[in-house]
mmCIF file of all heavy atoms in Angstrom:
data_model
loop_
_atom_site.group_PDB
_atom_site.id
_atom_site.type_symbol
_atom_site.label_atom_id
_atom_site.label_comp_id
_atom_site.label_asym_id
_atom_site.label_seq_id
_atom_site.Cartn_x
_atom_site.Cartn_y
_atom_site.Cartn_z
ATOM 1 N N ASN J 62 29.319 35.954 -10.707
ATOM 2 C CA ASN J 62 28.715 35.657 -12.032
ATOM 3 C C ASN J 62 29.640 36.086 -13.165
ATOM 4 O O ASN J 62 30.769 36.531 -12.935
ATOM 5 C CB ASN J 62 27.348 36.330 -12.105
ATOM 6 C CG ASN J 62 27.430 37.813 -12.040
ATOM 7 O OD1 ASN J 62 28.493 38.396 -12.251
ATOM 8 N ND2 ASN J 62 26.308 38.468 -11.705
ATOM 9 N N ASP J 63 29.150 35.909 -14.370
ATOM 10 C CA ASP J 63 30.010 36.116 -15.580
ATOM 11 C C ASP J 63 30.721 37.425 -15.489
ATOM 12 O O ASP J 63 31.904 37.521 -15.835
ATOM 13 C CB ASP J 63 29.102 36.116 -16.831
ATOM 14 C CG ASP J 63 28.117 34.943 -16.800
ATOM 15 O OD1 ASP J 63 28.455 33.993 -16.058
ATOM 16 O OD2 ASP J 63 27.105 35.007 -17.521
ATOM 17 N N LYS J 64 29.974 38.492 -15.121
ATOM 18 C CA LYS J 64 30.544 39.815 -15.139
ATOM 19 C C LYS J 64 31.457 40.102 -13.959
ATOM 20 O O LYS J 64 31.790 41.206 -13.652
ATOM 21 C CB LYS J 64 29.469 40.886 -15.221
ATOM 22 C CG LYS J 64 28.541 40.703 -16.422
ATOM 23 C CD LYS J 64 27.131 41.202 -16.113
ATOM 24 C CE LYS J 64 26.120 40.490 -16.985
ATOM 25 N NZ LYS J 64 24.800 40.438 -16.355
ATOM 26 N N MET J 65 31.800 38.944 -13.214
ATOM 27 C CA MET J 65 32.755 39.071 -12.141
ATOM 28 C C MET J 65 32.276 39.893 -10.950
ATOM 29 O O MET J 65 33.108 40.415 -10.219
ATOM 30 C CB MET J 65 34.114 39.570 -12.591
ATOM 31 C CG MET J 65 34.927 38.594 -13.401
ATOM 32 S SD MET J 65 35.106 36.991 -12.454
ATOM 33 C CE MET J 65 36.236 37.566 -11.169
ATOM 34 N N ASN J 66 30.997 40.082 -10.811
ATOM 35 C CA ASN J 66 30.622 40.686 -9.531
ATOM 36 C C ASN J 66 29.909 39.698 -8.622
ATOM 37 O O ASN J 66 29.464 38.621 -9.049
ATOM 38 C CB ASN J 66 29.758 41.939 -9.761
ATOM 39 C CG ASN J 66 28.663 41.739 -10.769
ATOM 40 O OD1 ASN J 66 28.274 40.592 -11.065
ATOM 41 N ND2 ASN J 66 28.154 42.791 -11.331
ATOM 42 N N GLU J 67 29.987 39.990 -7.345
ATOM 43 C CA GLU J 67 29.545 38.994 -6.351
ATOM 44 C C GLU J 67 28.011 38.980 -6.096
ATOM 45 O O GLU J 67 27.473 40.047 -5.937
ATOM 46 C CB GLU J 67 30.212 39.353 -5.007
ATOM 47 C CG GLU J 67 31.770 39.366 -5.122
ATOM 48 C CD GLU J 67 32.394 39.993 -3.908
ATOM 49 O OE1 GLU J 67 31.671 40.485 -3.030
ATOM 50 O OE2 GLU J 67 33.654 40.001 -3.841
ATOM 51 N N GLN J 68 27.469 37.809 -6.089
ATOM 52 C CA GLN J 68 26.072 37.637 -5.806
ATOM 53 C C GLN J 68 25.948 36.907 -4.467
ATOM 54 O O GLN J 68 26.244 35.737 -4.359
ATOM 55 C CB GLN J 68 25.408 36.773 -6.876
ATOM 56 C CG GLN J 68 25.082 37.544 -8.116
ATOM 57 C CD GLN J 68 23.876 38.512 -7.897
ATOM 58 O OE1 GLN J 68 23.179 38.386 -6.842
ATOM 59 N NE2 GLN J 68 23.633 39.400 -8.828
ATOM 60 N N ILE J 69 25.477 37.605 -3.424
ATOM 61 C CA ILE J 69 25.297 36.979 -2.125
ATOM 62 C C ILE J 69 23.965 36.190 -2.107
ATOM 63 O O ILE J 69 22.958 36.718 -2.548
ATOM 64 C CB ILE J 69 25.294 38.045 -1.031
ATOM 65 C CG1 ILE J 69 26.634 38.753 -0.992
ATOM 66 C CG2 ILE J 69 24.966 37.422 0.344
ATOM 67 C CD1 ILE J 69 26.631 39.929 -0.033
ATOM 68 N N THR J 70 24.048 34.944 -1.603
ATOM 69 C CA THR J 70 22.803 34.176 -1.562
ATOM 70 C C THR J 70 22.351 33.921 -0.107
ATOM 71 O O THR J 70 21.214 33.542 0.108
ATOM 72 C CB THR J 70 22.987 32.795 -2.239
ATOM 73 O OG1 THR J 70 24.026 32.097 -1.629
ATOM 74 C CG2 THR J 70 23.263 32.979 -3.736
ATOM 75 N N GLN J 71 23.275 34.143 0.810
ATOM 76 C CA GLN J 71 22.887 33.860 2.188
ATOM 77 C C GLN J 71 23.778 34.585 3.200
ATOM 78 O O GLN J 71 24.959 34.765 2.965
ATOM 79 C CB GLN J 71 23.069 32.344 2.449
ATOM 80 C CG GLN J 71 21.896 31.708 3.070
ATOM 81 C CD GLN J 71 21.988 30.198 2.976
ATOM 82 O OE1 GLN J 71 22.224 29.515 3.988
ATOM 83 N NE2 GLN J 71 21.823 29.638 1.778
ATOM 84 N N PHE J 72 23.187 35.027 4.278
ATOM 85 C CA PHE J 72 23.969 35.442 5.404
ATOM 86 C C PHE J 72 23.795 34.505 6.540
ATOM 87 O O PHE J 72 22.863 33.714 6.606
ATOM 88 C CB PHE J 72 23.434 36.863 5.921
ATOM 89 C CG PHE J 72 23.762 37.984 5.012
ATOM 90 C CD1 PHE J 72 22.771 38.653 4.269
ATOM 91 C CD2 PHE J 72 25.080 38.433 4.862
ATOM 92 C CE1 PHE J 72 23.016 39.695 3.409
ATOM 93 C CE2 PHE J 72 25.382 39.529 4.049
ATOM 94 C CZ PHE J 72 24.344 40.145 3.274
ATOM 95 N N ALA J 73 24.743 34.536 7.516
ATOM 96 C CA ALA J 73 24.569 33.759 8.720
ATOM 97 C C ALA J 73 25.121 34.550 9.849
ATOM 98 O O ALA J 73 26.249 34.911 9.901
ATOM 99 C CB ALA J 73 25.262 32.415 8.642
ATOM 100 N N LYS J 74 24.217 34.815 10.872
ATOM 101 C CA LYS J 74 24.694 35.515 12.038
ATOM 102 C C LYS J 74 24.621 34.563 13.236
ATOM 103 O O LYS J 74 24.491 33.330 13.014
ATOM 104 C CB LYS J 74 23.946 36.792 12.321
ATOM 105 C CG LYS J 74 22.413 36.544 12.478
ATOM 106 C CD LYS J 74 21.746 37.809 13.034
ATOM 107 C CE LYS J 74 20.329 37.435 13.455
ATOM 108 N NZ LYS J 74 19.623 38.456 14.140
ATOM 109 N N GLU J 75 24.738 35.043 14.470
ATOM 110 C CA GLU J 75 24.794 34.205 15.649
ATOM 111 C C GLU J 75 23.654 33.142 15.607
ATOM 112 O O GLU J 75 22.488 33.459 15.304
ATOM 113 C CB GLU J 75 24.595 35.060 16.932
ATOM 114 C CG GLU J 75 25.706 35.912 17.257
ATOM 115 C CD GLU J 75 25.735 37.227 16.468
ATOM 116 O OE1 GLU J 75 24.742 37.569 15.863
ATOM 117 O OE2 GLU J 75 26.820 37.909 16.441
ATOM 118 N N ASN J 76 24.066 31.918 15.929
ATOM 119 C CA ASN J 76 23.095 30.806 16.056
ATOM 120 C C ASN J 76 22.487 30.353 14.744
ATOM 121 O O ASN J 76 21.418 29.747 14.686
ATOM 122 C CB ASN J 76 21.965 31.133 17.022
ATOM 123 C CG ASN J 76 22.493 31.411 18.440
ATOM 124 O OD1 ASN J 76 23.498 30.747 18.855
ATOM 125 N ND2 ASN J 76 21.907 32.305 19.123
ATOM 126 N N TRP J 77 23.150 30.696 13.642
ATOM 127 C CA TRP J 77 22.703 30.201 12.312
ATOM 128 C C TRP J 77 23.721 29.134 11.819
ATOM 129 O O TRP J 77 24.906 29.282 12.037
ATOM 130 C CB TRP J 77 22.593 31.317 11.266
ATOM 131 C CG TRP J 77 21.453 32.244 11.504
ATOM 132 C CD1 TRP J 77 20.830 32.547 12.678
ATOM 133 C CD2 TRP J 77 20.784 33.008 10.487
ATOM 134 N NE1 TRP J 77 19.866 33.436 12.457
ATOM 135 C CE2 TRP J 77 19.789 33.773 11.158
ATOM 136 C CE3 TRP J 77 20.948 33.136 9.123
ATOM 137 C CZ2 TRP J 77 18.971 34.640 10.472
ATOM 138 C CZ3 TRP J 77 20.124 33.997 8.457
ATOM 139 C CH2 TRP J 77 19.108 34.696 9.134
ATOM 140 N N TRP J 78 23.154 28.159 11.164
ATOM 141 C CA TRP J 78 23.973 27.162 10.437
ATOM 142 C C TRP J 78 24.143 27.663 9.003
ATOM 143 O O TRP J 78 23.248 28.293 8.413
ATOM 144 C CB TRP J 78 23.264 25.825 10.374
ATOM 145 C CG TRP J 78 23.232 25.165 11.678
ATOM 146 C CD1 TRP J 78 22.273 25.243 12.634
ATOM 147 C CD2 TRP J 78 24.216 24.193 12.185
ATOM 148 N NE1 TRP J 78 22.665 24.420 13.736
ATOM 149 C CE2 TRP J 78 23.801 23.796 13.433
ATOM 150 C CE3 TRP J 78 25.413 23.688 11.645
ATOM 151 C CZ2 TRP J 78 24.564 22.888 14.204
ATOM 152 C CZ3 TRP J 78 26.156 22.837 12.401
ATOM 153 C CH2 TRP J 78 25.719 22.449 13.674
ATOM 154 N N ILE J 79 25.308 27.366 8.434
ATOM 155 C CA ILE J 79 25.528 27.678 7.028
ATOM 156 C C ILE J 79 26.444 26.620 6.392
ATOM 157 O O ILE J 79 27.375 26.148 7.061
ATOM 158 C CB ILE J 79 26.037 29.104 6.807
ATOM 159 C CG1 ILE J 79 25.937 29.509 5.336
ATOM 160 C CG2 ILE J 79 27.456 29.257 7.326
ATOM 161 C CD1 ILE J 79 26.161 30.994 5.110
ATOM 162 N N SER J 80 26.180 26.324 5.107
ATOM 163 C CA SER J 80 27.057 25.455 4.398
ATOM 164 C C SER J 80 26.560 25.393 2.979
ATOM 165 O O SER J 80 25.426 25.783 2.679
ATOM 166 C CB SER J 80 26.964 23.984 4.999
ATOM 167 O OG SER J 80 27.859 23.127 4.345
ATOM 168 N N ASP J 81 27.375 24.817 2.025
ATOM 169 C CA ASP J 81 26.870 24.480 0.731
ATOM 170 C C ASP J 81 26.448 23.007 0.821
ATOM 171 O O ASP J 81 27.289 22.107 0.731
ATOM 172 C CB ASP J 81 27.921 24.668 -0.335
ATOM 173 C CG ASP J 81 27.496 24.159 -1.707
ATOM 174 O OD1 ASP J 81 26.423 23.546 -1.783
ATOM 175 O OD2 ASP J 81 28.209 24.416 -2.654
ATOM 176 N N PHE J 82 25.175 22.747 1.049
ATOM 177 C CA PHE J 82 24.719 21.424 1.414
ATOM 178 C C PHE J 82 24.861 20.465 0.223
ATOM 179 O O PHE J 82 25.055 19.268 0.469
ATOM 180 C CB PHE J 82 23.251 21.451 1.866
ATOM 181 C CG PHE J 82 23.086 22.034 3.208
ATOM 182 C CD1 PHE J 82 22.703 23.370 3.394
ATOM 183 C CD2 PHE J 82 23.398 21.266 4.360
ATOM 184 C CE1 PHE J 82 22.608 23.920 4.626
ATOM 185 C CE2 PHE J 82 23.293 21.832 5.622
ATOM 186 C CZ PHE J 82 22.887 23.139 5.778
ATOM 187 N N PHE J 83 24.817 20.999 -0.959
ATOM 188 C CA PHE J 83 25.021 20.161 -2.135
ATOM 189 C C PHE J 83 26.435 19.653 -2.195
ATOM 190 O O PHE J 83 26.698 18.436 -2.329
ATOM 191 C CB PHE J 83 24.658 20.966 -3.384
ATOM 192 C CG PHE J 83 24.727 20.218 -4.659
ATOM 193 C CD1 PHE J 83 23.882 19.119 -4.877
ATOM 194 C CD2 PHE J 83 25.647 20.548 -5.610
ATOM 195 C CE1 PHE J 83 23.948 18.411 -6.086
ATOM 196 C CE2 PHE J 83 25.749 19.821 -6.802
ATOM 197 C CZ PHE J 83 24.881 18.791 -7.032
#
Side-chain angles (χ1 to χ4, degrees):
Chain J
N62 63 19
D63 313 340
K64 300 151 206 153
M65 286 306 290
N66 46 20
E67 302 168 355
Q68 279 289 348
I69 298 174
T70 58
Q71 231 167 105
F72 288 110
K74 57 168 194 172
E75 289 80 16
N76 299 324
W77 288 28
W78 287 90
I79 192 167
S80 183
D81 174 353
F82 287 99
F83 183 64

